[in-house]
């Protein structure tokens, strides 16, 4: 049995999977925000609960909104800031009396979709989260690629490629929380989409509200979506030029907009070197469950 934990800023979810990927148990609790000790204890309690309910002991994988630094062996880059600087994997291993594997939540998405999702059977899967923020992960032969600096897949914190004049102005107006300007995240996240609509219309709306306006053929909302599609296409074309993945999988709230899967692959071609690109861009099969499933699959079957 494999136990996966998805540690988010507002909730912690556990799943127990059989070796065949069948869901045996699932539960979630509120995250004890700003309390590291209580967060560790909540994870430990969820693991014990999963094992009690299934009557089995399992391996434990954890997805976090950050990564473990290979140099300090402590959490870095987490937007759940109370985790930063903490030896989370060691503390959990001690509390659970077993090794615990930790990966970035976007890497967990990539693993989940590579094992039994939209990228099943594909050697190289690039998985993107386009939600409140924007990040990505890489799975090679079904295993998470973390990298020597722990930064593999940090696509959202590269500059938007091939910026036009408007995007250059936007870059200065909307700096990224990482401290730099022009990051892909500020353009292709759901937050970036809503900010761009506000720039065009003067109205502050949520992404779902803008999508409804598009369905009503509102011209400003349609313009915002076309600009979004082009920016996403440019950003993914850069990935093709660097990695040429076998499949690109989209997750997060913006991924539920089905028109992206018709428009973006065609738009990508004008930015890919040689203008040839047939890379599939697919919606995550497991949706919101992919992160927690991927955490469970951090322990592959061969182990």
């Amino acid at each position: 049995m494999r136990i996966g934990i998805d540690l988010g800023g507002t909730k912690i979810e556990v799943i127990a999977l059989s070796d065949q990927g069948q869901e045996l148990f699932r539960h979630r609790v509120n995250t004890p925000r700003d309390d590291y000790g209580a967060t560790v204890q909540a994870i430990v309690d969820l693991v014990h609960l999963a094992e009690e309910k299934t009557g089995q002991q399992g391996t434990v994988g954890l997805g976090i909104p950050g990564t473990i630094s290979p140099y300090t062996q402590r959490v870095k880059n987490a937007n759940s800031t109370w985790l930063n600087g903490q030896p989370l994997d060691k503390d959990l291993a001690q509390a659970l009396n077993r090794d615990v594997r930790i990966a970035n939540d976007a890497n967990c998405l990539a693993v989940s979709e590579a094992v039994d999702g939209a990228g099943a059977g594909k050697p190289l899967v690039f998985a993107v989260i386009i939600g409140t923020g924007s990040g990505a992960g890489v799975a090679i032969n079904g295993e998470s690629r973390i990298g020597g600096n722990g930064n593999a897949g940090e696509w959202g914190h590269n500059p938007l490629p091939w910026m036009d004049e408007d995007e250059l102005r936007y870059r200065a107006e909307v700096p990224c929380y990482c401290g730099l300007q022009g990051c892909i995240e500020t353009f292709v996240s759901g937050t970036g989409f809503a900010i761009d609509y506000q720039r065009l219309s003067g109205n502050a709306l949520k992404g779902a509200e803008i999508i409804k306006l598009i369905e009503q053929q509102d011209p400003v909302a349609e313009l915002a979506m076309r600009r979004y599609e082009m920016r996403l296409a440019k950003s993914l074309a850069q990935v093709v030029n660097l990695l040429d993945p076998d499949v690109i999988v989209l997750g997060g709230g913006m991924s539920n907009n089905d028109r992206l899967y018709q428009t973006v692959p065609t738009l990508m071609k004008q930015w890919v070197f040689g203008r040839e690109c047939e890379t599939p861009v697919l919606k995550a099969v497991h949706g919101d469950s992919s992160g927690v499933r991927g955490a469970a699959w951090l322990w592959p079957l061969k182990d």
Side-chain angles (χ1 to χ4, degrees):
M1 184 176 75
R2 282 158 177 75
I3 296 171
I5 304 282
D6 183 22
L7 172 56
T10 58
K11 56 87 179 173
I12 308 174
E13 185 171 11
V14 64
I15 195 170
L17 299 179
S18 71
D19 288 346
Q20 292 73 41
Q22 296 172 325
E23 182 179 320
L24 305 176
F25 177 75
R26 182 194 294 262
H27 187 67
R28 65 171 56 182
V29 297
N30 293 332
T31 301
R33 291 186 61 83
D34 301 315
D35 190 331
Y36 176 70
T39 300
V40 171
Q41 189 59 52
I43 294 169
V44 171
D45 290 345
L46 284 172
V47 171
H48 289 158
L49 179 63
E51 292 180 334
E52 176 186 335
K53 294 297 185 181
T54 60
Q56 303 179 55
Q57 188 175 61
T59 56
V60 178
L62 174 68
I64 65 172
T67 191
I68 299 290
S69 166
Y71 305 113
T72 67
Q73 305 303 315
R74 294 171 181 265
V75 176
K76 67 174 183 177
N77 299 341
N79 55 19
S80 298
T81 55
W82 66 96
L83 302 176
N84 288 326
Q86 301 289 353
L88 181 57
D89 54 346
K90 292 181 174 60
D91 288 342
L92 287 173
Q94 182 176 8
L96 291 167
N97 196 30
R98 75 194 85 167
D99 288 340
V100 175
R101 293 188 178 179
I102 293 180
N104 178 267
D105 50 8
N107 286 57
C108 291
L109 168 65
V111 169
S112 174
E113 294 297 321
V115 170
D116 60 356
K122 301 295 186 183
L124 180 54
V125 176
F126 190 80
V128 171
I129 296 174
I130 40 176
T132 304
S134 183
V138 180
I140 300 175
N141 296 322
E143 296 189 23
S144 173
R145 170 63 183 171
I146 297 173
N149 296 297
N151 284 341
E154 286 293 357
W155 167 77
H157 294 285
N158 291 285
L160 183 77
W162 303 292
M163 287 190 191
D164 59 28
E165 290 184 6
D166 183 71
E167 289 160 350
L168 288 168
R169 288 192 297 270
Y170 181 101
R171 176 182 64 179
E173 295 172 10
V174 187
C176 185
Y177 78 90
C178 75
L180 300 176
Q181 293 182 344
C183 289
I184 288 170
E185 175 167 319
T186 64
F187 289 94
V188 306
S189 64
T191 304
F193 172 60
I195 291 173
D196 195 44
Y197 173 79
Q198 185 175 3
R199 292 176 72 236
L200 293 170
S201 69
N203 298 320
L205 297 178
K206 295 179 180 180
E209 295 171 323
I210 302 168
I211 298 300
K212 287 182 179 179
L213 289 178
I214 294 171
E215 294 170 354
Q216 297 167 11
Q217 299 183 334
D218 179 90
V220 179
E222 175 64 26
L223 175 60
M225 178 54 70
R226 290 184 181 181
R227 286 154 61 98
Y228 177 87
E229 290 166 336
M230 181 60 75
R231 290 163 178 170
L232 181 59
K234 291 194 290 187
S235 301
L236 294 178
Q238 186 180 57
V239 174
V240 174
N241 286 342
L242 288 170
L243 290 177
D244 209 355
D246 297 291
V247 61
I248 295 170
V249 181
L250 304 184
M254 290 297 291
S255 74
N256 293 319
N257 183 5
D258 288 338
R259 69 180 265 177
L260 295 179
Y261 305 98
Q262 282 72 52
T263 57
V264 170
T266 299
L267 291 169
M268 286 168 60
K269 293 183 180 184
Q270 63 186 291
W271 305 105
V272 170
F273 184 56
R275 306 297 187 268
E276 293 180 336
C277 182
E278 301 298 333
T279 305
V281 179
L282 305 175
K283 183 189 293 188
V285 167
H286 297 297
D288 292 341
S289 299
S290 249
V292 71
R293 289 176 63 86
W297 286 118
L298 291 176
W299 292 87
L301 284 172
K302 65 182 181 182
D303 285 357

